[in-house]
Protein backbone atom coordinates (compact mmCIF):
# COMPACT_ATOMS: atom_id res chain seq x y z
CA UNK A 1 0.00 0.00 0.00
CA UNK A 2 1.15 3.48 -0.72
CA UNK A 3 1.61 6.06 2.01
CA UNK A 4 -1.12 8.24 0.51
CA UNK A 5 -3.61 5.37 0.47
CA UNK A 6 -2.86 4.52 4.13
CA UNK A 7 -3.42 8.16 5.10
CA UNK A 8 -6.77 8.21 3.28
CA UNK A 9 -7.86 5.01 5.03
CA UNK A 10 -6.80 6.40 8.41
CA UNK A 11 -8.68 9.67 7.80
CA UNK A 12 -11.74 7.72 6.66
CA UNK A 13 -11.84 5.64 9.86
CA UNK A 14 -11.29 8.69 12.08
CA UNK A 15 -14.15 10.48 10.31
CA UNK A 16 -16.36 7.40 10.69
CA UNK A 17 -15.72 7.26 14.45
CA UNK A 18 -16.42 10.99 14.85
CA UNK A 19 -19.66 10.76 12.89
CA UNK A 20 -20.81 7.75 14.92
CA UNK A 21 -20.09 9.59 18.17
CA UNK A 22 -22.03 12.71 17.16
CA UNK A 23 -24.97 10.90 15.56
CA UNK A 24 -25.61 8.42 18.37
CA UNK A 25 -27.79 9.84 21.16
CA UNK A 26 -26.20 9.72 24.58
CA UNK A 27 -28.41 7.43 26.63
CA UNK A 28 -26.08 6.02 29.25
CA UNK A 29 -23.53 7.75 31.36
CA UNK A 30 -21.03 6.42 33.83
CA UNK A 31 -21.59 7.75 37.30
CA UNK A 32 -19.10 10.43 38.28
CA UNK A 33 -16.25 10.05 40.74
CA UNK A 34 -18.34 11.33 43.66
CA UNK A 35 -20.69 8.36 43.50
CA UNK A 36 -19.83 5.52 45.84
CA UNK A 37 -22.24 2.83 44.67
CA UNK A 38 -24.03 3.67 41.41
CA UNK A 39 -21.85 2.66 38.46
CA UNK A 40 -24.09 3.57 35.53
CA UNK A 41 -27.28 5.49 34.88
CA UNK A 42 -29.31 5.76 31.70
CA UNK A 43 -32.48 7.40 30.47
CA UNK A 44 -34.21 7.90 27.15
CA UNK A 45 -37.42 9.55 26.01
CA UNK A 46 -38.60 9.29 22.41
CA UNK A 47 -41.80 10.46 20.76
CA UNK A 48 -43.44 8.01 18.38
CA UNK A 49 -46.56 8.07 16.25
CA UNK A 50 -49.85 9.32 17.69
CA UNK A 51 -48.23 10.65 20.86
CA UNK A 52 -46.74 7.36 22.04
CA UNK A 53 -43.72 8.05 24.24
CA UNK A 54 -40.98 5.50 24.80
CA UNK A 55 -39.81 5.91 28.41
CA UNK A 56 -36.61 4.27 29.64
CA UNK A 57 -34.59 4.42 32.85
CA UNK A 58 -31.79 2.20 34.12
CA UNK A 59 -29.53 1.94 37.17
CA UNK A 60 -26.52 -0.35 37.61
CA UNK A 61 -24.20 -1.03 40.55
CA UNK A 62 -21.82 -3.72 41.80
CA UNK A 63 -24.10 -6.69 42.64
CA UNK A 64 -21.75 -8.05 45.30
CA UNK A 65 -22.31 -5.01 47.51
CA UNK A 66 -25.52 -3.29 46.40
CA UNK A 67 -29.05 -3.73 45.20
CA UNK A 68 -30.46 -0.98 43.03
CA UNK A 69 -33.69 0.78 42.25
CA UNK A 70 -34.95 3.12 39.58
CA UNK A 71 -37.98 5.40 39.59
CA UNK A 72 -39.08 6.93 36.28
CA UNK A 73 -41.43 9.91 36.42
CA UNK A 74 -42.95 11.11 33.16
CA UNK A 75 -43.43 14.85 33.49
CA UNK A 76 -45.57 17.26 31.46
CA UNK A 77 -44.81 20.98 31.26
CA UNK A 78 -47.80 23.28 31.78
CA UNK A 79 -46.28 26.35 33.44
CA UNK A 80 -44.27 23.93 35.62
CA UNK A 81 -43.26 20.27 35.52
CA UNK A 82 -46.05 17.96 36.73
CA UNK A 83 -45.57 14.20 37.09
CA UNK A 84 -48.30 12.41 35.14
CA UNK A 85 -47.06 8.79 35.37
CA UNK A 86 -44.57 6.94 37.61
CA UNK A 87 -42.94 3.52 37.33
CA UNK A 88 -40.51 1.81 39.73
CA UNK A 89 -38.26 -1.25 39.63
CA UNK A 90 -35.60 -2.85 41.81
CA UNK A 91 -32.95 -5.47 41.16
CA UNK A 92 -29.65 -6.99 42.21
CA UNK A 93 -27.21 -5.93 39.49
CA UNK A 94 -29.47 -3.53 37.63
CA UNK A 95 -32.98 -2.13 37.54
CA UNK A 96 -34.69 -1.18 34.27
CA UNK A 97 -37.95 0.52 33.35
CA UNK A 98 -39.01 0.36 29.70
CA UNK A 99 -42.57 1.53 29.04
CA UNK A 100 -44.75 3.15 26.40
CA UNK A 101 -47.28 5.81 27.30
CA UNK A 102 -49.68 7.89 25.18
CA UNK A 103 -49.72 11.63 25.84
CA UNK A 104 -51.74 14.69 24.79
CA UNK A 105 -50.81 17.16 22.07
CA UNK A 106 -49.60 20.65 22.86
CA UNK A 107 -47.20 19.86 25.69
CA UNK A 108 -43.51 19.24 26.31
CA UNK A 109 -42.53 16.07 28.18
CA UNK A 110 -39.42 14.91 30.04
CA UNK A 111 -38.38 12.06 32.30
CA UNK A 112 -37.14 12.58 35.83
CA UNK A 113 -35.23 9.42 36.71
CA UNK A 114 -34.18 8.72 40.29
CA UNK A 115 -31.47 6.09 40.72
CA UNK A 116 -30.99 4.32 44.06
CA UNK A 117 -28.35 2.04 45.57
CA UNK A 118 -28.94 0.02 48.74
CA UNK A 119 -26.49 -1.86 50.95
CA UNK A 120 -26.99 -5.54 50.14
CA UNK A 121 -26.72 -6.61 53.80
CA UNK A 122 -28.69 -3.88 55.61
CA UNK A 123 -31.01 -2.80 52.75
CA UNK A 124 -30.32 0.82 53.76
CA UNK A 125 -30.14 3.43 51.01
CA UNK A 126 -26.51 4.45 50.45
CA UNK A 127 -26.94 6.62 47.38
CA UNK A 128 -29.53 8.50 45.36
CA UNK A 129 -28.94 10.25 42.05
CA UNK A 130 -31.45 12.16 39.87
CA UNK A 131 -31.09 12.52 36.09
CA UNK A 132 -33.36 14.10 33.48
CA UNK A 133 -33.99 13.19 29.86
CA UNK A 134 -34.08 15.72 27.11
CA UNK A 135 -37.52 17.19 26.58
CA UNK A 136 -39.77 16.32 23.66
CA UNK A 137 -42.64 18.43 22.34
CA UNK A 138 -45.80 16.80 20.97
CA UNK A 139 -47.57 19.25 18.62
Amino acid sequence: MTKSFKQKITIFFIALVLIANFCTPLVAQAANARNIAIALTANDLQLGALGRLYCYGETQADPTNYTVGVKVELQQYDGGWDTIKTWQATGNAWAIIEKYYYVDRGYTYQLKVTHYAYDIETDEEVEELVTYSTGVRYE
Side-chain angles (χ1 to χ4, degrees):
M1 268 194 261
T2 67
K3 185 176 179 180
S4 175
F5 183 71
K6 287 181 184 178
Q7 288 175 333
K8 288 179 183 176
I9 293 293
T10 302
I11 291 170
F12 171 76
F13 281 112
I14 291 171
L16 189 62
V17 168
L18 290 173
I19 290 169
N21 284 336
F22 287 111
C23 293
T24 304
L26 178 62
V27 174
Q29 66 183 37
N32 67 37
R34 295 179 298 159
N35 296 349
I36 59 170
I38 296 172
L40 181 119
T41 64
N43 66 63
D44 192 21
L45 179 65
Q46 296 178 24
L47 179 61
L50 304 174
R52 186 172 103 159
L53 289 177
Y54 170 74
C55 306
Y56 179 84
E58 178 180 358
T59 305
Q60 291 184 20
D62 174 6
T64 59
N65 296 310
Y66 307 104
T67 58
V68 295
V70 63
K71 179 170 77 170
V72 175
E73 297 175 70
L74 175 60
Q75 297 183 326
Q76 179 185 64
Y77 189 80
D78 189 15
W81 290 106
D82 298 315
T83 298
I84 59 172
K85 184 68 178 171
T86 302
W87 301 276
Q88 294 186 4
T90 58
N92 186 24
W94 67 87
I96 297 173
I97 297 288
E98 188 173 30
K99 299 289 185 180
Y100 291 94
Y101 192 80
Y102 286 91
V103 293
D104 296 326
R105 290 183 183 272
Y107 296 97
T108 299
Y109 298 91
Q110 73 174 8
L111 295 179
K112 176 183 178 184
V113 184
T114 308
H115 309 272
Y116 302 95
Y118 305 93
D119 183 283
I120 200 164
E121 293 179 6
T122 65
D123 206 31
E124 291 181 24
E125 183 181 307
V126 295
E127 192 165 47
E128 180 179 315
L129 178 66
V130 177
T131 63
Y132 293 88
S133 71
T134 56
V136 296
R137 177 99 179 142
Y138 180 38
E139 293 295 336

